Amino acid sequence: MSDPIDRDGLAPRYWERKPLAKMSQREWEALCDGCGKCCLNKLEDEDSGTVALTRIACRLLDDSTCRCAHYENRHQFVPDCIVLKPDNLDTHAYWMPATCAYRLLWEGKPLYDWHPLISGTAQSVHDAGVSVQGWTLSEFDVPEDDWEEHVIEEPV
């Protein structure tokens, strides 16, 4: 599988030396590991603030590639889709997947060895069993009242 994210020519291990807020748009985008977990619908406990992932995916997620089918114009279809940026990471990191590079770096943690920036291949996230490849359900097929039945333990 070819990598739709342009990672060529980036400085080696730049994320270890450069703060998130100082990254170029290309460096920022390259942090995405392509797991697709951020596109899963989540349930948040109002009392505890705990966020649970479900296997119910956004209508735009292609779970064979773990990519948004309409990334560039996704807001036309899903107006409340979050555009994660350095200046809004503080308010969104808590619901990001535990393995997400944005969250890991925000928490001061290292990237996993299967991350494409380290492994050199976009396939490594799938080979490690960390992506949602092939096991999501469409939000069109499951009523929202039934999402709790599809809460998952996050693969790490």
Side-chain angles (χ1 to χ4, degrees):
M1 169 197 222
S2 66
D3 192 347
I5 297 174
D6 180 11
R7 301 180 206 275
D8 293 334
L10 294 172
R13 302 185 84 89
Y14 68 88
W15 61 92
E16 294 176 341
R17 297 181 308 282
K18 193 178 245 190
L20 291 168
K22 300 282 186 191
M23 290 183 186
S24 69
Q25 184 64 31
R26 193 162 155 256
E27 289 169 330
W28 177 262
E29 291 285 329
L31 291 176
C32 175
D33 61 29
C35 72
K37 289 187 281 188
C38 61
C39 298
L40 297 177
N41 285 294
K42 294 135 191 91
L43 299 174
E44 184 172 356
D45 184 290
E46 292 178 19
D47 297 326
S48 69
T50 303
V51 176
L53 297 179
T54 71
R55 67 184 304 129
I56 313 301
C58 169
R59 67 194 75 177
L60 298 181
L61 181 70
D62 175 343
D63 92 338
S64 64
T65 64
C66 296
R67 303 293 177 177
C68 181
H70 296 285
Y71 185 74
E72 295 303 321
N73 58 355
R74 64 193 183 278
H75 291 105
Q76 292 175 17
F77 302 98
V78 183
D80 58 350
C81 180
I82 302 293
V83 177
L84 196 62
K85 300 180 284 195
D87 65 355
N88 69 10
L89 190 53
D90 285 347
T91 57
H92 296 297
Y94 79 96
W95 63 258
M96 297 298 293
T99 57
C100 175
Y102 301 105
R103 180 174 178 170
L104 289 169
L105 295 175
W106 179 77
E107 292 174 338
K109 297 177 182 175
L111 300 185
Y112 289 96
D113 289 343
W114 48 255
H115 192 287
L117 284 169
I118 295 174
S119 70
T121 173
Q123 184 61 35
S124 59
V125 68
H126 308 300
D127 293 345
V130 181
S131 78
V132 301
Q133 191 173 54
W135 58 261
T136 65
L137 301 171
S138 170
E139 63 187 0
F140 287 136
D141 296 335
V142 181
E144 194 169 343
D145 288 345
D146 295 340
W147 286 5
E148 198 167 307
E149 296 171 24
H150 298 279
V151 169
I152 59 164
E153 291 294 322
E154 185 177 352
V156 293

